PDB file of all heavy atoms in Angstrom:
ATOM      1  N   LEU A 496      38.898 -21.921   7.086  1.00 97.00           N
ATOM      2  CA  LEU A 496      38.503 -22.714   5.925  1.00 97.00           C
ATOM      3  C   LEU A 496      39.684 -23.442   5.290  1.00 97.00           C
ATOM      4  O   LEU A 496      40.800 -22.948   5.327  1.00 97.00           O
ATOM      5  CB  LEU A 496      37.854 -21.797   4.871  1.00 97.00           C
ATOM      6  CG  LEU A 496      36.502 -21.189   5.253  1.00 97.00           C
ATOM      7  CD1 LEU A 496      36.083 -20.134   4.212  1.00 97.00           C
ATOM      8  CD2 LEU A 496      35.424 -22.269   5.377  1.00 97.00           C
ATOM      9  N   PRO A 497      39.431 -24.594   4.708  1.00 92.00           N
ATOM     10  CA  PRO A 497      40.492 -25.320   3.999  1.00 92.00           C
ATOM     11  C   PRO A 497      41.072 -24.468   2.890  1.00 92.00           C
ATOM     12  O   PRO A 497      40.321 -23.741   2.195  1.00 92.00           O
ATOM     13  CB  PRO A 497      39.774 -26.555   3.448  1.00 92.00           C
ATOM     14  CG  PRO A 497      38.556 -26.717   4.286  1.00 92.00           C
ATOM     15  CD  PRO A 497      38.143 -25.334   4.684  1.00 92.00           C
ATOM     16  N   PRO A 498      42.372 -24.530   2.674  1.00 93.00           N
ATOM     17  CA  PRO A 498      43.008 -23.637   1.699  1.00 93.00           C
ATOM     18  C   PRO A 498      42.668 -23.935   0.246  1.00 93.00           C
ATOM     19  O   PRO A 498      42.830 -23.076  -0.618  1.00 93.00           O
ATOM     20  CB  PRO A 498      44.507 -23.850   1.936  1.00 93.00           C
ATOM     21  CG  PRO A 498      44.592 -25.219   2.541  1.00 93.00           C
ATOM     22  CD  PRO A 498      43.356 -25.379   3.362  1.00 93.00           C
ATOM     23  N   GLU A 499      42.167 -25.145  -0.027  1.00 93.00           N
ATOM     24  CA  GLU A 499      41.960 -25.541  -1.420  1.00 93.00           C
ATOM     25  C   GLU A 499      40.571 -25.275  -1.960  1.00 93.00           C
ATOM     26  O   GLU A 499      40.290 -25.549  -3.128  1.00 93.00           O
ATOM     27  CB  GLU A 499      42.272 -27.041  -1.609  1.00 93.00           C
ATOM     28  CG  GLU A 499      41.261 -27.973  -0.937  1.00 93.00           C
ATOM     29  CD  GLU A 499      41.489 -28.198   0.551  1.00 93.00           C
ATOM     30  OE1 GLU A 499      42.384 -27.536   1.119  1.00 93.00           O
ATOM     31  OE2 GLU A 499      40.767 -29.027   1.132  1.00 93.00           O
ATOM     32  N   ILE A 500      39.663 -24.699  -1.168  1.00 95.00           N
ATOM     33  CA  ILE A 500      38.299 -24.549  -1.634  1.00 95.00           C
ATOM     34  C   ILE A 500      38.139 -23.337  -2.543  1.00 95.00           C
ATOM     35  O   ILE A 500      38.916 -22.379  -2.489  1.00 95.00           O
ATOM     36  CB  ILE A 500      37.290 -24.473  -0.456  1.00 95.00           C
ATOM     37  CG1 ILE A 500      37.509 -23.198   0.349  1.00 95.00           C
ATOM     38  CG2 ILE A 500      37.350 -25.701   0.407  1.00 95.00           C
ATOM     39  CD1 ILE A 500      36.369 -22.899   1.276  1.00 95.00           C
ATOM     40  N   ASP A 501      37.102 -23.386  -3.381  1.00 96.00           N
ATOM     41  CA  ASP A 501      36.789 -22.325  -4.315  1.00 96.00           C
ATOM     42  C   ASP A 501      35.748 -21.337  -3.789  1.00 96.00           C
ATOM     43  O   ASP A 501      35.682 -20.184  -4.254  1.00 96.00           O
ATOM     44  CB  ASP A 501      36.253 -22.889  -5.644  1.00 96.00           C
ATOM     45  CG  ASP A 501      37.253 -23.814  -6.315  1.00 96.00           C
ATOM     46  OD1 ASP A 501      38.438 -23.477  -6.340  1.00 96.00           O
ATOM     47  OD2 ASP A 501      36.830 -24.900  -6.768  1.00 96.00           O
ATOM     48  N   GLY A 502      34.916 -21.782  -2.863  1.00 97.00           N
ATOM     49  CA  GLY A 502      33.855 -20.935  -2.344  1.00 97.00           C
ATOM     50  C   GLY A 502      33.331 -21.465  -1.036  1.00 97.00           C
ATOM     51  O   GLY A 502      33.599 -22.609  -0.650  1.00 97.00           O
ATOM     52  N   VAL A 503      32.571 -20.609  -0.331  1.00 98.00           N
ATOM     53  CA  VAL A 503      32.026 -21.011   0.951  1.00 98.00           C
ATOM     54  C   VAL A 503      30.560 -20.589   1.046  1.00 98.00           C
ATOM     55  O   VAL A 503      30.190 -19.469   0.694  1.00 98.00           O
ATOM     56  CB  VAL A 503      32.818 -20.401   2.123  1.00 98.00           C
ATOM     57  CG1 VAL A 503      32.789 -18.878   2.115  1.00 98.00           C
ATOM     58  CG2 VAL A 503      32.319 -20.930   3.461  1.00 98.00           C
ATOM     59  N   LEU A 504      29.749 -21.518   1.504  1.00 98.00           N
ATOM     60  CA  LEU A 504      28.354 -21.241   1.831  1.00 98.00           C
ATOM     61  C   LEU A 504      28.300 -20.776   3.258  1.00 98.00           C
ATOM     62  O   LEU A 504      28.592 -21.559   4.189  1.00 98.00           O
ATOM     63  CB  LEU A 504      27.514 -22.519   1.670  1.00 98.00           C
ATOM     64  CG  LEU A 504      26.900 -22.819   0.324  1.00 98.00           C
ATOM     65  CD1 LEU A 504      26.485 -24.283   0.253  1.00 98.00           C
ATOM     66  CD2 LEU A 504      25.704 -21.915   0.043  1.00 98.00           C
ATOM     67  N   VAL A 505      27.935 -19.534   3.504  1.00 98.00           N
ATOM     68  CA  VAL A 505      27.818 -19.020   4.868  1.00 98.00           C
ATOM     69  C   VAL A 505      26.401 -19.259   5.353  1.00 98.00           C
ATOM     70  O   VAL A 505      25.450 -18.614   4.901  1.00 98.00           O
ATOM     71  CB  VAL A 505      28.177 -17.528   4.936  1.00 98.00           C
ATOM     72  CG1 VAL A 505      28.008 -17.010   6.361  1.00 98.00           C
ATOM     73  CG2 VAL A 505      29.627 -17.316   4.466  1.00 98.00           C
ATOM     74  N   MET A 506      26.276 -20.216   6.263  1.00 98.00           N
ATOM     75  CA  MET A 506      24.967 -20.655   6.752  1.00 98.00           C
ATOM     76  C   MET A 506      24.722 -20.140   8.167  1.00 98.00           C
ATOM     77  O   MET A 506      25.653 -20.102   8.974  1.00 98.00           O
ATOM     78  CB  MET A 506      24.878 -22.186   6.732  1.00 98.00           C
ATOM     79  CG  MET A 506      25.040 -22.800   5.375  1.00 98.00           C
ATOM     80  SD  MET A 506      25.088 -24.632   5.425  1.00 98.00           S
ATOM     81  CE  MET A 506      23.453 -25.006   6.149  1.00 98.00           C
ATOM     82  N   LEU A 507      23.488 -19.776   8.450  1.00 96.00           N
ATOM     83  CA  LEU A 507      23.077 -19.425   9.799  1.00 96.00           C
ATOM     84  C   LEU A 507      22.460 -20.667  10.443  1.00 96.00           C
ATOM     85  O   LEU A 507      21.579 -21.304   9.846  1.00 96.00           O
ATOM     86  CB  LEU A 507      22.084 -18.284   9.773  1.00 96.00           C
ATOM     87  CG  LEU A 507      22.487 -17.054   8.963  1.00 96.00           C
ATOM     88  CD1 LEU A 507      21.413 -15.971   9.053  1.00 96.00           C
ATOM     89  CD2 LEU A 507      23.831 -16.513   9.438  1.00 96.00           C
ATOM     90  N   ALA A 508      22.900 -20.963  11.654  1.00 96.00           N
ATOM     91  CA  ALA A 508      22.455 -22.227  12.292  1.00 96.00           C
ATOM     92  C   ALA A 508      21.016 -22.196  12.757  1.00 96.00           C
ATOM     93  O   ALA A 508      20.469 -23.231  13.144  1.00 96.00           O
ATOM     94  CB  ALA A 508      23.359 -22.542  13.484  1.00 96.00           C
ATOM     95  N   ASP A 509      20.363 -21.020  12.663  1.00 95.00           N
ATOM     96  CA  ASP A 509      18.982 -20.918  13.133  1.00 95.00           C
ATOM     97  C   ASP A 509      17.970 -20.893  11.976  1.00 95.00           C
ATOM     98  O   ASP A 509      16.907 -20.285  12.082  1.00 95.00           O
ATOM     99  CB  ASP A 509      18.790 -19.686  14.016  1.00 95.00           C
ATOM    100  CG  ASP A 509      19.051 -18.380  13.288  1.00 95.00           C
ATOM    101  OD1 ASP A 509      19.498 -18.416  12.129  1.00 95.00           O
ATOM    102  OD2 ASP A 509      18.805 -17.311  13.862  1.00 95.00           O
ATOM    103  N   MET A 510      18.311 -21.563  10.865  1.00 96.00           N
ATOM    104  CA  MET A 510      17.406 -21.640   9.715  1.00 96.00           C
ATOM    105  C   MET A 510      17.071 -23.114   9.439  1.00 96.00           C
ATOM    106  O   MET A 510      17.566 -23.700   8.464  1.00 96.00           O
ATOM    107  CB  MET A 510      18.047 -20.957   8.500  1.00 96.00           C
ATOM    108  CG  MET A 510      18.335 -19.479   8.713  1.00 96.00           C
ATOM    109  SD  MET A 510      18.938 -18.630   7.213  1.00 96.00           S
ATOM    110  CE  MET A 510      17.449 -18.637   6.185  1.00 96.00           C
ATOM    111  N   PRO A 511      16.221 -23.703  10.250  1.00 95.00           N
ATOM    112  CA  PRO A 511      15.996 -25.156  10.208  1.00 95.00           C
ATOM    113  C   PRO A 511      15.194 -25.649   9.014  1.00 95.00           C
ATOM    114  O   PRO A 511      15.114 -26.855   8.791  1.00 95.00           O
ATOM    115  CB  PRO A 511      15.279 -25.442  11.528  1.00 95.00           C
ATOM    116  CG  PRO A 511      14.540 -24.158  11.819  1.00 95.00           C
ATOM    117  CD  PRO A 511      15.484 -23.082  11.390  1.00 95.00           C
ATOM    118  N   CYS A 512      14.610 -24.752   8.259  1.00 95.00           N
ATOM    119  CA  CYS A 512      13.796 -25.184   7.115  1.00 95.00           C
ATOM    120  C   CYS A 512      14.631 -25.430   5.851  1.00 95.00           C
ATOM    121  O   CYS A 512      14.105 -25.965   4.860  1.00 95.00           O
ATOM    122  CB  CYS A 512      12.706 -24.160   6.806  1.00 95.00           C
ATOM    123  SG  CYS A 512      11.512 -23.951   8.149  1.00 95.00           S
ATOM    124  N   LEU A 513      15.903 -25.036   5.883  1.00 97.00           N
ATOM    125  CA  LEU A 513      16.770 -25.284   4.717  1.00 97.00           C
ATOM    126  C   LEU A 513      16.955 -26.769   4.476  1.00 97.00           C
ATOM    127  O   LEU A 513      17.107 -27.538   5.420  1.00 97.00           O
ATOM    128  CB  LEU A 513      18.135 -24.628   4.931  1.00 97.00           C
ATOM    129  CG  LEU A 513      18.220 -23.115   4.784  1.00 97.00           C
ATOM    130  CD1 LEU A 513      19.619 -22.654   5.175  1.00 97.00           C
ATOM    131  CD2 LEU A 513      17.884 -22.675   3.364  1.00 97.00           C
ATOM    132  N   ARG A 514      16.969 -27.137   3.208  1.00 97.00           N
ATOM    133  CA  ARG A 514      17.172 -28.525   2.840  1.00 97.00           C
ATOM    134  C   ARG A 514      18.368 -28.651   1.886  1.00 97.00           C
ATOM    135  O   ARG A 514      18.765 -27.628   1.279  1.00 97.00           O
ATOM    136  CB  ARG A 514      15.905 -29.090   2.138  1.00 97.00           C
ATOM    137  CG  ARG A 514      14.673 -28.993   2.991  1.00 97.00           C
ATOM    138  CD  ARG A 514      13.446 -29.667   2.287  1.00 97.00           C
ATOM    139  NE  ARG A 514      13.141 -29.081   1.009  1.00 97.00           N
ATOM    140  CZ  ARG A 514      12.420 -27.981   0.824  1.00 97.00           C
ATOM    141  NH1 ARG A 514      11.939 -27.324   1.855  1.00 97.00           N
ATOM    142  NH2 ARG A 514      12.164 -27.538  -0.407  1.00 97.00           N
ATOM    143  N   PRO A 515      18.915 -29.828   1.737  1.00 97.00           N
ATOM    144  CA  PRO A 515      20.067 -29.990   0.838  1.00 97.00           C
ATOM    145  C   PRO A 515      19.794 -29.465  -0.565  1.00 97.00           C
ATOM    146  O   PRO A 515      20.720 -28.933  -1.199  1.00 97.00           O
ATOM    147  CB  PRO A 515      20.302 -31.498   0.863  1.00 97.00           C
ATOM    148  CG  PRO A 515      19.811 -31.942   2.217  1.00 97.00           C
ATOM    149  CD  PRO A 515      18.625 -31.079   2.484  1.00 97.00           C
ATOM    150  N   GLU A 516      18.572 -29.594  -1.048  1.00 98.00           N
ATOM    151  CA  GLU A 516      18.296 -29.141  -2.424  1.00 98.00           C
ATOM    152  C   GLU A 516      18.421 -27.632  -2.564  1.00 98.00           C
ATOM    153  O   GLU A 516      18.765 -27.140  -3.648  1.00 98.00           O
ATOM    154  CB  GLU A 516      16.927 -29.618  -2.891  1.00 98.00           C
ATOM    155  CG  GLU A 516      15.773 -29.324  -1.953  1.00 98.00           C
ATOM    156  CD  GLU A 516      15.419 -30.516  -1.078  1.00 98.00           C
ATOM    157  OE1 GLU A 516      16.353 -31.193  -0.606  1.00 98.00           O
ATOM    158  OE2 GLU A 516      14.222 -30.746  -0.859  1.00 98.00           O
ATOM    159  N   HIS A 517      18.164 -26.880  -1.499  1.00 98.00           N
ATOM    160  CA  HIS A 517      18.399 -25.421  -1.575  1.00 98.00           C
ATOM    161  C   HIS A 517      19.887 -25.146  -1.783  1.00 98.00           C
ATOM    162  O   HIS A 517      20.271 -24.343  -2.638  1.00 98.00           O
ATOM    163  CB  HIS A 517      17.946 -24.745  -0.275  1.00 98.00           C
ATOM    164  CG  HIS A 517      16.471 -24.802  -0.039  1.00 98.00           C
ATOM    165  ND1 HIS A 517      15.895 -25.485   0.993  1.00 98.00           N
ATOM    166  CD2 HIS A 517      15.427 -24.244  -0.722  1.00 98.00           C
ATOM    167  CE1 HIS A 517      14.579 -25.381   0.953  1.00 98.00           C
ATOM    168  NE2 HIS A 517      14.271 -24.608  -0.072  1.00 98.00           N
ATOM    169  N   LEU A 518      20.718 -25.802  -1.003  1.00 98.00           N
ATOM    170  CA  LEU A 518      22.167 -25.607  -1.130  1.00 98.00           C
ATOM    171  C   LEU A 518      22.657 -26.062  -2.500  1.00 98.00           C
ATOM    172  O   LEU A 518      23.514 -25.418  -3.109  1.00 98.00           O
ATOM    173  CB  LEU A 518      22.916 -26.374  -0.041  1.00 98.00           C
ATOM    174  CG  LEU A 518      22.502 -26.130   1.419  1.00 98.00           C
ATOM    175  CD1 LEU A 518      23.510 -26.790   2.344  1.00 98.00           C
ATOM    176  CD2 LEU A 518      22.372 -24.657   1.713  1.00 98.00           C
ATOM    177  N   ALA A 519      22.102 -27.184  -2.988  1.00 97.00           N
ATOM    178  CA  ALA A 519      22.545 -27.719  -4.274  1.00 97.00           C
ATOM    179  C   ALA A 519      22.262 -26.728  -5.398  1.00 97.00           C
ATOM    180  O   ALA A 519      23.070 -26.594  -6.325  1.00 97.00           O
ATOM    181  CB  ALA A 519      21.858 -29.056  -4.538  1.00 97.00           C
ATOM    182  N   ARG A 520      21.154 -26.020  -5.349  1.00 97.00           N
ATOM    183  CA  ARG A 520      20.831 -25.041  -6.373  1.00 97.00           C
ATOM    184  C   ARG A 520      21.817 -23.883  -6.362  1.00 97.00           C
ATOM    185  O   ARG A 520      22.236 -23.381  -7.406  1.00 97.00           O
ATOM    186  CB  ARG A 520      19.409 -24.529  -6.211  1.00 97.00           C
ATOM    187  CG  ARG A 520      18.342 -25.576  -6.536  1.00 97.00           C
ATOM    188  CD  ARG A 520      16.968 -24.934  -6.645  1.00 97.00           C
ATOM    189  NE  ARG A 520      16.932 -23.930  -7.715  1.00 97.00           N
ATOM    190  CZ  ARG A 520      15.918 -23.082  -7.911  1.00 97.00           C
ATOM    191  NH1 ARG A 520      14.863 -23.115  -7.079  1.00 97.00           N
ATOM    192  NH2 ARG A 520      15.934 -22.220  -8.876  1.00 97.00           N
ATOM    193  N   LEU A 521      22.185 -23.447  -5.171  1.00 98.00           N
ATOM    194  CA  LEU A 521      23.173 -22.368  -5.059  1.00 98.00           C
ATOM    195  C   LEU A 521      24.534 -22.839  -5.579  1.00 98.00           C
ATOM    196  O   LEU A 521      25.227 -22.091  -6.282  1.00 98.00           O
ATOM    197  CB  LEU A 521      23.304 -21.935  -3.601  1.00 98.00           C
ATOM    198  CG  LEU A 521      22.021 -21.363  -2.956  1.00 98.00           C
ATOM    199  CD1 LEU A 521      22.250 -21.088  -1.482  1.00 98.00           C
ATOM    200  CD2 LEU A 521      21.561 -20.107  -3.683  1.00 98.00           C
ATOM    201  N   MET A 522      24.910 -24.051  -5.243  1.00 97.00           N
ATOM    202  CA  MET A 522      26.186 -24.585  -5.697  1.00 97.00           C
ATOM    203  C   MET A 522      26.241 -24.723  -7.208  1.00 97.00           C
ATOM    204  O   MET A 522      27.248 -24.456  -7.849  1.00 97.00           O
ATOM    205  CB  MET A 522      26.453 -25.924  -5.010  1.00 97.00           C
ATOM    206  CG  MET A 522      26.710 -25.790  -3.511  1.00 97.00           C
ATOM    207  SD  MET A 522      26.598 -27.374  -2.633  1.00 97.00           S
ATOM    208  CE  MET A 522      27.902 -28.315  -3.434  1.00 97.00           C
ATOM    209  N   ALA A 523      25.142 -25.146  -7.808  1.00 96.00           N
ATOM    210  CA  ALA A 523      25.081 -25.286  -9.269  1.00 96.00           C
ATOM    211  C   ALA A 523      25.264 -23.927  -9.931  1.00 96.00           C
ATOM    212  O   ALA A 523      25.978 -23.774 -10.940  1.00 96.00           O
ATOM    213  CB  ALA A 523      23.781 -25.929  -9.690  1.00 96.00           C
ATOM    214  N   ALA A 524      24.622 -22.892  -9.376  1.00 97.00           N
ATOM    215  CA  ALA A 524      24.755 -21.555  -9.938  1.00 97.00           C
ATOM    216  C   ALA A 524      26.170 -21.029  -9.786  1.00 97.00           C
ATOM    217  O   ALA A 524      26.693 -20.346 -10.662  1.00 97.00           O
ATOM    218  CB  ALA A 524      23.772 -20.606  -9.254  1.00 97.00           C
ATOM    219  N   PHE A 525      26.823 -21.374  -8.674  1.00 96.00           N
ATOM    220  CA  PHE A 525      28.202 -20.957  -8.484  1.00 96.00           C
ATOM    221  C   PHE A 525      29.129 -21.637  -9.487  1.00 96.00           C
ATOM    222  O   PHE A 525      30.017 -20.987 -10.074  1.00 96.00           O
ATOM    223  CB  PHE A 525      28.639 -21.300  -7.066  1.00 96.00           C
ATOM    224  CG  PHE A 525      30.071 -20.933  -6.786  1.00 96.00           C
ATOM    225  CD1 PHE A 525      30.443 -19.633  -6.543  1.00 96.00           C
ATOM    226  CD2 PHE A 525      31.048 -21.913  -6.737  1.00 96.00           C
ATOM    227  CE1 PHE A 525      31.755 -19.287  -6.286  1.00 96.00           C
ATOM    228  CE2 PHE A 525      32.366 -21.596  -6.477  1.00 96.00           C
ATOM    229  CZ  PHE A 525      32.731 -20.281  -6.239  1.00 96.00           C
ATOM    230  N   THR A 526      28.937 -22.912  -9.698  1.00 94.00           N
ATOM    231  CA  THR A 526      29.757 -23.646 -10.673  1.00 94.00           C
ATOM    232  C   THR A 526      29.591 -23.056 -12.074  1.00 94.00           C
ATOM    233  O   THR A 526      30.536 -22.934 -12.849  1.00 94.00           O
ATOM    234  CB  THR A 526      29.385 -25.121 -10.668  1.00 94.00           C
ATOM    235  OG1 THR A 526      29.720 -25.674  -9.389  1.00 94.00           O
ATOM    236  CG2 THR A 526      30.133 -25.886 -11.753  1.00 94.00           C
ATOM    237  N   GLU A 527      28.371 -22.616 -12.373  1.00 94.00           N
ATOM    238  CA  GLU A 527      28.084 -22.063 -13.711  1.00 94.00           C
ATOM    239  C   GLU A 527      28.620 -20.649 -13.891  1.00 94.00           C
ATOM    240  O   GLU A 527      29.071 -20.289 -14.979  1.00 94.00           O
ATOM    241  CB  GLU A 527      26.583 -22.069 -13.949  1.00 94.00           C
ATOM    242  CG  GLU A 527      26.160 -21.561 -15.315  1.00 94.00           C
ATOM    243  CD  GLU A 527      24.673 -21.612 -15.532  1.00 94.00           C
ATOM    244  OE1 GLU A 527      23.978 -22.249 -14.720  1.00 94.00           O
ATOM    245  OE2 GLU A 527      24.195 -21.004 -16.510  1.00 94.00           O
ATOM    246  N   THR A 528      28.585 -19.840 -12.828  1.00 95.00           N
ATOM    247  CA  THR A 528      28.875 -18.420 -12.971  1.00 95.00           C
ATOM    248  C   THR A 528      30.134 -17.920 -12.251  1.00 95.00           C
ATOM    249  O   THR A 528      30.734 -16.939 -12.668  1.00 95.00           O
ATOM    250  CB  THR A 528      27.705 -17.587 -12.467  1.00 95.00           C
ATOM    251  OG1 THR A 528      27.601 -17.734 -11.039  1.00 95.00           O
ATOM    252  CG2 THR A 528      26.398 -17.999 -13.133  1.00 95.00           C
ATOM    253  N   GLY A 529      30.468 -18.528 -11.121  1.00 94.00           N
ATOM    254  CA  GLY A 529      31.584 -18.055 -10.330  1.00 94.00           C
ATOM    255  C   GLY A 529      31.302 -16.785  -9.558  1.00 94.00           C
ATOM    256  O   GLY A 529      32.215 -16.176  -8.977  1.00 94.00           O
ATOM    257  N   GLY A 530      30.037 -16.338  -9.527  1.00 96.00           N
ATOM    258  CA  GLY A 530      29.688 -15.093  -8.859  1.00 96.00           C
ATOM    259  C   GLY A 530      29.341 -15.293  -7.402  1.00 96.00           C
ATOM    260  O   GLY A 530      29.470 -16.379  -6.837  1.00 96.00           O
ATOM    261  N   VAL A 531      28.879 -14.194  -6.773  1.00 97.00           N
ATOM    262  CA  VAL A 531      28.364 -14.242  -5.405  1.00 97.00           C
ATOM    263  C   VAL A 531      26.923 -14.726  -5.504  1.00 97.00           C
ATOM    264  O   VAL A 531      26.075 -13.979  -6.014  1.00 97.00           O
ATOM    265  CB  VAL A 531      28.433 -12.880  -4.722  1.00 97.00           C
ATOM    266  CG1 VAL A 531      27.942 -12.975  -3.286  1.00 97.00           C
ATOM    267  CG2 VAL A 531      29.862 -12.337  -4.760  1.00 97.00           C
ATOM    268  N   VAL A 532      26.632 -15.911  -5.055  1.00 98.00           N
ATOM    269  CA  VAL A 532      25.325 -16.530  -5.311  1.00 98.00           C
ATOM    270  C   VAL A 532      24.415 -16.298  -4.099  1.00 98.00           C
ATOM    271  O   VAL A 532      24.754 -16.673  -2.964  1.00 98.00           O
ATOM    272  CB  VAL A 532      25.463 -18.031  -5.606  1.00 98.00           C
ATOM    273  CG1 VAL A 532      24.100 -18.634  -5.886  1.00 98.00           C
ATOM    274  CG2 VAL A 532      26.404 -18.248  -6.784  1.00 98.00           C
ATOM    275  N   VAL A 533      23.250 -15.702  -4.354  1.00 98.00           N
ATOM    276  CA  VAL A 533      22.339 -15.286  -3.306  1.00 98.00           C
ATOM    277  C   VAL A 533      20.944 -15.845  -3.590  1.00 98.00           C
ATOM    278  O   VAL A 533      20.416 -15.653  -4.699  1.00 98.00           O
ATOM    279  CB  VAL A 533      22.271 -13.760  -3.201  1.00 98.00           C
ATOM    280  CG1 VAL A 533      21.340 -13.338  -2.069  1.00 98.00           C
ATOM    281  CG2 VAL A 533      23.652 -13.171  -3.011  1.00 98.00           C
ATOM    282  N   PRO A 534      20.302 -16.501  -2.597  1.00 98.00           N
ATOM    283  CA  PRO A 534      18.941 -16.990  -2.826  1.00 98.00           C
ATOM    284  C   PRO A 534      17.917 -15.889  -2.628  1.00 98.00           C
ATOM    285  O   PRO A 534      18.096 -15.016  -1.758  1.00 98.00           O
ATOM    286  CB  PRO A 534      18.784 -18.081  -1.756  1.00 98.00           C
ATOM    287  CG  PRO A 534      19.645 -17.590  -0.620  1.00 98.00           C
ATOM    288  CD  PRO A 534      20.824 -16.881  -1.281  1.00 98.00           C
ATOM    289  N   PHE A 535      16.845 -15.928  -3.404  1.00 98.00           N
ATOM    290  CA  PHE A 535      15.743 -14.988  -3.284  1.00 98.00           C
ATOM    291  C   PHE A 535      14.441 -15.782  -3.268  1.00 98.00           C
ATOM    292  O   PHE A 535      14.333 -16.825  -3.888  1.00 98.00           O
ATOM    293  CB  PHE A 535      15.726 -14.007  -4.440  1.00 98.00           C
ATOM    294  CG  PHE A 535      16.690 -12.860  -4.294  1.00 98.00           C
ATOM    295  CD1 PHE A 535      18.043 -13.043  -4.557  1.00 98.00           C
ATOM    296  CD2 PHE A 535      16.252 -11.603  -3.912  1.00 98.00           C
ATOM    297  CE1 PHE A 535      18.942 -12.008  -4.438  1.00 98.00           C
ATOM    298  CE2 PHE A 535      17.142 -10.544  -3.790  1.00 98.00           C
ATOM    299  CZ  PHE A 535      18.480 -10.743  -4.058  1.00 98.00           C
ATOM    300  N   TYR A 536      13.477 -15.214  -2.569  1.00 98.00           N
ATOM    301  CA  TYR A 536      12.110 -15.758  -2.625  1.00 98.00           C
ATOM    302  C   TYR A 536      11.153 -14.577  -2.687  1.00 98.00           C
ATOM    303  O   TYR A 536      11.139 -13.718  -1.784  1.00 98.00           O
ATOM    304  CB  TYR A 536      11.803 -16.642  -1.424  1.00 98.00           C
ATOM    305  CG  TYR A 536      10.387 -17.152  -1.431  1.00 98.00           C
ATOM    306  CD1 TYR A 536       9.988 -18.112  -2.369  1.00 98.00           C
ATOM    307  CD2 TYR A 536       9.440 -16.701  -0.521  1.00 98.00           C
ATOM    308  CE1 TYR A 536       8.689 -18.583  -2.388  1.00 98.00           C
ATOM    309  CE2 TYR A 536       8.139 -17.176  -0.525  1.00 98.00           C
ATOM    310  CZ  TYR A 536       7.761 -18.120  -1.482  1.00 98.00           C
ATOM    311  OH  TYR A 536       6.479 -18.588  -1.498  1.00 98.00           O
ATOM    312  N   GLN A 537      10.386 -14.504  -3.741  1.00 97.00           N
ATOM    313  CA  GLN A 537       9.419 -13.426  -3.962  1.00 97.00           C
ATOM    314  C   GLN A 537      10.077 -12.051  -3.732  1.00 97.00           C
ATOM    315  O   GLN A 537       9.590 -11.208  -2.965  1.00 97.00           O
ATOM    316  CB  GLN A 537       8.210 -13.616  -3.050  1.00 97.00           C
ATOM    317  CG  GLN A 537       7.413 -14.859  -3.408  1.00 97.00           C
ATOM    318  CD  GLN A 537       6.148 -15.013  -2.597  1.00 97.00           C
ATOM    319  OE1 GLN A 537       5.886 -14.269  -1.650  1.00 97.00           O
ATOM    320  NE2 GLN A 537       5.329 -15.982  -2.983  1.00 97.00           N
ATOM    321  N   ALA A 538      11.226 -11.865  -4.380  1.00 94.00           N
ATOM    322  CA  ALA A 538      11.967 -10.600  -4.407  1.00 94.00           C
ATOM    323  C   ALA A 538      12.654 -10.259  -3.100  1.00 94.00           C
ATOM    324  O   ALA A 538      13.250  -9.173  -2.972  1.00 94.00           O
ATOM    325  CB  ALA A 538      11.049  -9.433  -4.828  1.00 94.00           C
ATOM    326  N   ARG A 539      12.631 -11.158  -2.138  1.00 97.00           N
ATOM    327  CA  ARG A 539      13.314 -10.935  -0.862  1.00 97.00           C
ATOM    328  C   ARG A 539      14.607 -11.742  -0.802  1.00 97.00           C
ATOM    329  O   ARG A 539      14.587 -12.936  -1.102  1.00 97.00           O
ATOM    330  CB  ARG A 539      12.402 -11.287   0.320  1.00 97.00           C
ATOM    331  CG  ARG A 539      11.173 -10.395   0.438  1.00 97.00           C
ATOM    332  CD  ARG A 539      10.291 -10.884   1.578  1.00 97.00           C
ATOM    333  NE  ARG A 539      10.968 -10.834   2.865  1.00 97.00           N
ATOM    334  CZ  ARG A 539      10.483 -11.389   3.972  1.00 97.00           C
ATOM    335  NH1 ARG A 539       9.335 -12.059   3.944  1.00 97.00           N
ATOM    336  NH2 ARG A 539      11.144 -11.298   5.121  1.00 97.00           N
TER     337      ARG A 539
END
């Protein structure tokens, strides 16, 4: 990874339904909180 980054999105290449807006929501939460940002859907 580049040395200057603040965080990394670890993506699995076999998840073709992901869209940029999913990533954008995670990034916004990271900018707001600085925590480990995890997506959930219906408690999963």
Side-chain angles (χ1 to χ4, degrees):
L496 292 171
E499 70 277 5
I500 66 166
D501 300 317
V503 62
L504 272 163
V505 178
M506 299 175 60
L507 309 181
D509 63 353
M510 298 186 70
C512 297
L513 285 174
R514 302 185 301 278
E516 50 263 41
H517 294 114
L518 307 190
R520 290 192 61 190
L521 299 175
M522 292 165 61
F525 178 77
T526 296
E527 182 179 348
T528 68
V531 182
V532 182
V533 182
F535 280 77
Y536 177 70
Q537 294 185 352
R539 294 177 61 191

